[in-house]
Coordinates of all heavy atoms in Angstrom, one line a residue:
E510 N 11.2 37.8 -22.9 CA 12.5 37.3 -23.1 C 12.4 36.0 -24.0 O 13.2 35.7 -24.8 CB 13.1 36.8 -21.8 CG 13.5 38.2 -20.9 CD 14.2 37.7 -19.6 OE1 14.4 36.6 -19.4 OE2 14.4 38.7 -18.8
A511 N 11.3 35.2 -23.8 CA 11.2 34.0 -24.6 C 10.9 34.4 -26.1 O 11.4 33.7 -27.0 CB 10.1 33.2 -24.1
A512 N 10.2 35.6 -26.3 CA 9.9 36.0 -27.6 C 11.2 36.4 -28.3 O 11.4 36.1 -29.5 CB 8.9 37.2 -27.6
V513 N 12.0 37.0 -27.6 CA 13.4 37.5 -28.2 C 14.2 36.3 -28.5 O 14.8 36.2 -29.6 CB 14.1 38.4 -27.2 CG1 15.5 38.7 -27.6 CG2 13.4 39.7 -27.0
E514 N 14.1 35.2 -27.5 CA 15.0 34.1 -27.8 C 14.4 33.4 -29.0 O 15.3 32.8 -29.9 CB 14.9 33.2 -26.6 CG 15.7 33.8 -25.4 CD 15.4 33.0 -24.2 OE1 14.8 31.8 -24.2 OE2 16.0 33.4 -23.1
A515 N 13.1 33.3 -29.1 CA 12.5 32.6 -30.3 C 12.8 33.3 -31.6 O 13.2 32.7 -32.6 CB 11.0 32.5 -30.2
A516 N 12.8 34.7 -31.6 CA 13.2 35.4 -32.7 C 14.7 35.2 -33.1 O 14.9 35.1 -34.4 CB 12.8 36.9 -32.5
D517 N 15.5 35.3 -32.2 CA 17.0 35.0 -32.3 C 17.1 33.6 -33.0 O 18.0 33.5 -33.9 CB 17.8 35.1 -31.1 CG 18.0 36.5 -30.8 OD1 18.2 37.4 -31.7 OD2 18.3 36.8 -29.5
R518 N 16.4 32.7 -32.5 CA 16.7 31.3 -33.1 C 16.2 31.2 -34.5 O 16.8 30.7 -35.4 CB 15.7 30.3 -32.2 CG 15.7 28.9 -32.7 CD 15.0 28.0 -31.7 NE 15.0 26.6 -32.1 CZ 14.0 26.0 -32.7 NH1 13.0 26.7 -32.9 NH2 14.0 24.8 -33.2
F519 N 15.1 31.9 -34.8 CA 14.5 31.8 -36.2 C 15.6 32.5 -37.1 O 15.8 32.1 -38.2 CB 13.2 32.6 -36.3 CG 12.6 32.5 -37.6 CD1 11.8 31.4 -38.0 CD2 12.8 33.4 -38.7 CE1 11.2 31.2 -39.3 CE2 12.2 33.4 -40.0 CZ 11.5 32.2 -40.1
I520 N 16.1 33.7 -36.7 CA 17.1 34.4 -37.5 C 18.3 33.6 -37.7 O 18.8 33.6 -38.9 CB 17.4 35.8 -36.8 CG1 16.1 36.8 -36.8 CG2 18.6 36.6 -37.5 CD1 16.3 37.9 -36.0
R521 N 18.7 32.8 -36.7 CA 19.9 32.1 -36.8 C 19.7 30.8 -37.8 O 20.6 30.5 -38.6 CB 20.3 31.5 -35.4 CG 21.6 30.7 -35.3 CD 22.0 30.4 -34.0 NE 21.1 29.4 -33.4 CZ 20.2 29.8 -32.5 NH1 20.2 31.0 -32.1 NH2 19.3 28.8 -31.9
L522 N 18.5 30.3 -37.7 CA 18.2 29.1 -38.5 C 17.9 29.5 -40.0 O 18.2 28.7 -40.9 CB 17.1 28.3 -37.9 CG 17.5 27.6 -36.5 CD1 16.1 27.0 -36.0 CD2 18.6 26.7 -36.7
H523 N 17.1 30.5 -40.1 CA 16.6 31.0 -41.5 C 17.0 32.4 -41.8 O 16.2 33.2 -42.0 CB 15.2 30.8 -41.5 CG 14.6 29.5 -40.8 ND1 14.8 28.3 -41.5 CD2 14.1 29.3 -39.6 CE1 14.4 27.3 -40.8 NE2 13.9 27.8 -39.7
P524 N 18.3 32.7 -41.9 CA 18.7 34.1 -42.2 C 18.2 34.6 -43.5 O 18.1 35.9 -43.7 CB 20.2 34.0 -42.1 CG 20.6 32.7 -42.4 CD 19.5 31.8 -41.8
Q525 N 18.0 33.8 -44.5 CA 17.4 34.2 -45.8 C 15.9 34.0 -46.0 O 15.4 34.1 -47.1 CB 18.2 33.4 -46.9 CG 19.7 33.5 -46.9 CD 20.3 35.1 -46.9 OE1 19.7 35.8 -47.6 NE2 21.3 35.3 -46.1
H526 N 15.2 33.8 -44.9 CA 13.9 33.5 -45.1 C 13.1 34.8 -45.5 O 13.5 35.9 -45.1 CB 13.2 32.9 -43.7 CG 11.9 32.5 -43.8 ND1 10.8 33.2 -43.8 CD2 11.4 31.1 -43.8 CE1 9.7 32.4 -43.9 NE2 10.0 31.2 -44.0
P527 N 12.1 34.6 -46.4 CA 11.4 35.9 -46.9 C 10.8 36.7 -45.8 O 10.4 37.8 -46.0 CB 10.5 35.3 -47.9 CG 10.3 33.9 -47.7 CD 11.6 33.4 -47.1
N528 N 10.4 36.0 -44.6 CA 9.7 36.7 -43.6 C 10.7 36.9 -42.4 O 10.2 37.2 -41.2 CB 8.6 36.0 -43.1 CG 7.4 35.8 -44.3 OD1 7.3 36.8 -44.9 ND2 6.7 34.7 -44.4
V529 N 11.9 36.9 -42.6 CA 12.9 37.0 -41.4 C 12.8 38.5 -41.0 O 13.1 38.7 -39.7 CB 14.3 36.6 -41.8 CG1 14.9 37.9 -42.8 CG2 15.3 36.5 -40.6

Side-chain angles (χ1 to χ4, degrees):
E510 291 185 6
V513 171
E514 292 175 0
D517 279 331
R518 178 172 178 262
F519 185 88
I520 293 169
R521 184 177 65 254
L522 294 176
H523 314 287
Q525 304 302 321
H526 193 280
N528 294 324
V529 71

